[in-house]
Amino acid sequence: MKKIINIAAALVLAGTAFAAQPSIDIVPRPQEIKVTEGAMQVKGVTVYADAKFDVTTLEAIGKFSASLGRVTVSEINCRITGQPVRPGSRGISFVKSDNLAKEAYRLVVKENTAVVEASSRAGVLYAIQTLKQMLPVKVYGNEPAPEEDWRLACCEIFDAPRFEYRGMHLDCCRHFFTLDEVRRYIDAMAIYKMNRLHWHLTEDQGWRVEIKKYPRLTEVGAFRNGTMIGKDFKSNDGIRYGGFYTQEEVKEIISYADERGITVIPEVDLPGHMLAALASYPELGCEGSQPYEVWTIWGVSKQVLSVGKEDTMKFLEDVVGELADIFPSEYFHIGGDECPKDEWKNDPACQAKIKELGLVSDEKASAEARLQNYVTARIQNYLAAKGKKIIGWDEILEGELAPGATVMSWRGTKGGIAASNAGYDVIMTPNNFCYFDYRQLEDKDAQPLAIGSAYLPFSKVYSCNPTEGLSSEAASHIRGVQANMWTEYVATPEHLEFMVLPRMLALSEVQWCTLENKDLDRISSSLDNHQSKILDLLGYNYCKQHE
Ligand code: ACM
């Protein structure tokens, strides 16, 4: 008798184990989740796609459907139909619902149907990311995995992001990353529902993008004669280093990112950080500044463009113009940070321009700072004629900034606070919360090289609230948040992934979640379990500890 009871208990247990509802563990956490009873088997379902969606959205749904068929080893047909929800039929339906905001989606899973509603491709892409995080991690692979429990927990999810600009930056100048490496970076961003890649393409240490009107930028400016070793500014490894992206390659990245809902924003950092351009075209420099060499050490070079020369301004317009024609992004980043003015003080062309424009030094700003305002405004106008808005680092606020510019606050939040109070749009990238070139572990020896000595653990990134202390009027100007990945000390893709992961997950909840939905314990436990399995399967070299 006892034995029979034991067998019965074992059967009940086994049955329960099989029937246990799959868990829901999604980063960034959706705005509202209500778990209901039961689960839906996805093997062999039909995927219905609303014919009202545009072609690219239908393609995204088709791709999801095909990948589901591959991993579940079952026949999953994708049907484009005017009637995506059919009572009684087992399926995953994608329905176009125009009353949802652009990036919002709703997902209702019942035992036989999962219905996604969204008004745009962005909403559909985020719903797909959510569905993937609700399924076994093997959904991220290409291998058949029929043995997995391919069920979705029944639930009702409504989701929409807190901020419309959710970015990651990547410096491909201090070190160059191949197209495949950039694609992997984009893949990670897509999982966490980010939508802007800020691509830093020009620097003192290397010019990384083909400009057809100025071929020497990549013939000369894309290569340097060695690189300093570690943190020894007097050293040089003697190895010629460089690389650049052709315009065709740039278009490949733009299109790859776009398929994943990510807009690529180019940055041409001007008028400082231009040594690679000066090495290519020395005539654009200030008097007495030559010789020029693509820089082999890190830091801020005092050698800057002579913006008093009309040829220099024409050069800048030509460069941003060529790129504006390639990048569909509404934003164009013009840099503007760390431009020492020493050379301008002694450069006849700059001084003549200052005189011509009637720029003066007063308690608010020097005449040279106002000269930078002139450069910013001129490039801003030039790009406006091409339908673009500029973003600049918070230095562009010094002096007088023309209306319509968006300020990227990097020296803490003070620039962003001042700019939003003055009515400018702002993207917060405060270094004390969002600089992923800082080390993430207390123990310096437990991680590869990082810049400076600042310590930015996962929990500190997570604690960032970009609107803290702002009036509601000023807060309405905060377009979003971004982390910056400068690569002075990051020379390999493995090191790059280590720096951004898992801090990118913390950032994703800063960007996406309401304050009430943020919970450090929940995301930390998610990271130790489900999320690390996703990163493992995809082979990312992430930092295994988080503090
Ligand atoms: C910056 O970190 N120089 C924008």
Side-chain angles (χ1 to χ4, degrees):
M1 184 64 187
K2 198 166 170 213
K3 198 168 171 190
I4 290 171
I5 288 170
N6 280 348
I7 289 170
L11 281 174
V12 168
L13 271 179
T16 319
F18 183 69
Q21 205 183 25
S23 60
I24 299 186
D25 182 347
I26 300 163
V27 171
R29 189 187 189 280
Q31 208 174 91
E32 292 167 23
I33 306 182
K34 188 170 143 210
V35 181
T36 52
E37 219 167 284
M40 174 193 178
Q41 175 58 250
V42 305
K43 272 189 193 171
V45 291
T46 302
V47 172
Y48 297 101
D50 194 332
K52 291 206 278 300
F53 281 122
D54 65 18
V55 174
T56 57
T57 310
L58 294 173
E59 276 169 7
I61 298 169
K63 269 193 186 161
F64 172 61
S65 164
S67 71
L68 217 48
R70 203 161 46 240
V71 290
T72 60
V73 197
S74 66
E75 192 169 318
I76 293 188
N77 291 312
C78 183
R79 302 220 176 113
I80 299 170
T81 162
Q83 261 193 319
V85 183
R86 298 164 185 217
S89 63
R90 208 166 70 81
I92 303 178
S93 279
F94 288 86
V95 182
K96 188 159 192 299
S97 174
D98 292 331
N99 52 11
L100 286 171
K102 184 170 164 265
E103 297 195 290
Y105 66 92
R106 198 186 313 278
L107 167 65
V108 177
V109 181
K110 297 191 178 151
E111 289 200 353
N112 273 318
T113 57
V115 178
V116 169
E117 284 176 79
S119 63
S120 74
R121 186 173 67 123
V124 166
L125 291 175
Y126 303 144
I128 289 174
Q129 293 298 350
T130 288
L131 284 164
K132 287 174 80 169
Q133 290 205 28
M134 288 170 67
L135 287 165
V137 291
K138 289 199 177 159
V139 73
Y140 289 92
N142 275 318
E143 302 304 317
E147 70 290 351
E148 294 292 311
D149 179 8
W150 290 107
R151 292 178 309 148
L152 289 167
C154 290
C155 63
E156 291 169 21
I157 291 178
F158 169 74
D159 205 5
R162 179 176 177 206
F163 292 105
E164 91 26 53
Y165 182 113
R166 302 180 303 281
M168 280 294 298
H169 152 283
L170 180 59
D171 169 10
C172 287
C173 300
R174 272 54 177 265
H175 284 101
F176 180 76
F177 295 94
T178 64
L179 293 185
D180 276 344
E181 289 156 4
V182 177
R183 286 191 194 101
R184 261 175 83 73
Y185 197 81
I186 290 170
D187 290 344
M189 291 173 61
I191 298 173
Y192 302 107
K193 302 187 173 91
M194 296 182 178
N195 63 2
R196 300 294 203 301
L197 172 65
H198 166 177
W199 203 4
H200 188 75
L201 289 167
T202 69
E203 255 309 336
D204 292 320
Q205 294 87 358
W207 186 281
R208 301 281 174 242
V209 58
E210 176 190 25
I211 302 293
K212 299 219 192 262
K213 271 197 196 134
Y214 298 91
R216 284 175 63 78
L217 287 171
T218 42
E219 287 162 9
V220 176
F223 300 91
R224 61 179 179 248
N225 289 322
T227 303
M228 61 181 270
I229 303 166
K231 296 204 170 178
D232 179 0
F233 281 78
K234 295 204 168 65
S235 65
N236 184 318
D237 65 11
I239 304 166
R240 189 167 154 79
Y241 182 91
F244 65 92
Y245 310 102
T246 64
Q247 292 192 359
E248 283 315 304
E249 289 172 330
V250 163
K251 287 180 195 161
E252 277 180 44
I253 290 294
I254 292 169
S255 135
Y256 186 87
D258 177 63
E259 257 186 58
R260 287 150 186 81
I262 294 167
T263 303
V264 186
I265 301 171
E267 180 185 351
V268 172
D269 201 349
L270 63 92
H273 288 280
M274 273 282 171
L275 198 39
L278 287 165
S280 315
Y281 295 97
E283 63 274 21
L284 304 179
C286 295
E287 190 163 287
S289 177
Q290 291 189 39
Y292 296 117
E293 192 193 2
V294 182
W295 229 12
T296 60
I297 58 167
W298 317 130
V300 177
S301 172
K302 287 196 165 162
Q303 293 178 295
V304 299
L305 292 173
S306 170
V307 293
K309 294 177 181 162
E310 189 50 29
D311 282 354
T312 304
M313 293 310 297
K314 171 89 171 52
F315 164 81
L316 290 176
E317 289 174 347
D318 287 343
V319 166
V320 300
E322 263 191 42
L323 294 177
D325 291 343
I326 294 172
F327 284 84
S329 162
E330 64 162 341
Y331 285 123
F332 195 108
H333 202 304
I334 58 138
D337 61 323
E338 299 175 323
C339 178
K341 310 290 190 292
D342 315 57
E343 289 195 337
W344 291 359
K345 291 197 179 115
N346 299 312
D347 181 45
C350 286
Q351 288 305 315
K353 196 73 189 174
I354 283 172
K355 212 161 164 199
E356 179 195 322
L357 296 169
L359 305 177
V360 291
S361 293
D362 56 24
E363 64 289 343
K364 192 163 174 228
S366 66
E368 285 75 21
R370 293 184 197 282
L371 184 60
Q372 183 167 345
N373 295 152
Y374 155 78
V375 176
T376 305
R378 198 160 147 183
I379 300 299
Q380 181 177 9
N381 284 337
Y382 184 83
L383 285 167
K386 290 184 171 281
K388 306 283 181 192
K389 296 200 282 192
I390 61 157
I391 302 177
W393 298 111
D394 58 47
E395 284 91 334
I396 65 169
L397 271 176
E398 289 160 14
E400 267 138 53
L401 177 62
T406 297
V407 174
M408 193 165 258
S409 184
W410 73 278
R411 295 175 296 180
T413 52
K414 62 182 186 312
I417 292 170
S420 58
N421 279 321
Y424 294 101
D425 278 354
V426 168
I427 297 154
M428 285 292 194
T429 71
N431 57 346
N432 46 339
F433 292 100
C434 293
Y435 265 43
F436 287 1
D437 50 343
Y438 295 175
R439 79 190 149 91
Q440 59 196 305
L441 301 175
E442 182 118 56
D443 177 1
K444 289 195 181 71
D445 300 330
Q447 61 211 305
L449 217 52
I451 203 162
S453 59
Y455 167 47
L456 178 58
F458 182 91
S459 54
K460 176 90 191 279
V461 177
Y462 197 71
S463 70
C464 175
N465 174 12
T467 58
E468 194 164 291
L470 292 180
S471 67
S472 58
E473 167 60 21
S476 72
H477 287 290
I478 307 296
R479 298 262 67 85
V481 196
Q482 170 179 292
N484 295 336
M485 187 59 242
W486 300 107
T487 58
E488 284 92 333
Y489 297 98
V490 179
T492 67
E494 294 77 21
H495 191 169
L496 176 67
E497 291 176 8
F498 185 95
M499 299 309 274
V500 297
L501 292 167
R503 288 185 286 191
M504 197 193 269
L505 280 74
L507 177 74
S508 78
E509 295 216 342
V510 173
Q511 296 170 327
W512 187 277
C513 295
T514 58
L515 292 177
E516 305 76 62
N517 274 341
K518 282 174 71 189
D519 177 345
L520 183 61
D521 289 342
R522 172 193 41 79
I523 192 173
S524 302
S525 137
S526 176
L527 187 50
D528 291 336
N529 295 288
H530 190 52
Q531 300 301 323
S532 57
K533 292 194 183 100
I534 296 174
L535 298 174
D536 283 335
L537 186 134
L538 292 170
Y540 283 109
N541 182 45
Y542 63 100
C543 178
K544 302 291 182 301
Q545 291 152 267
H546 47 96
E547 297 175 348

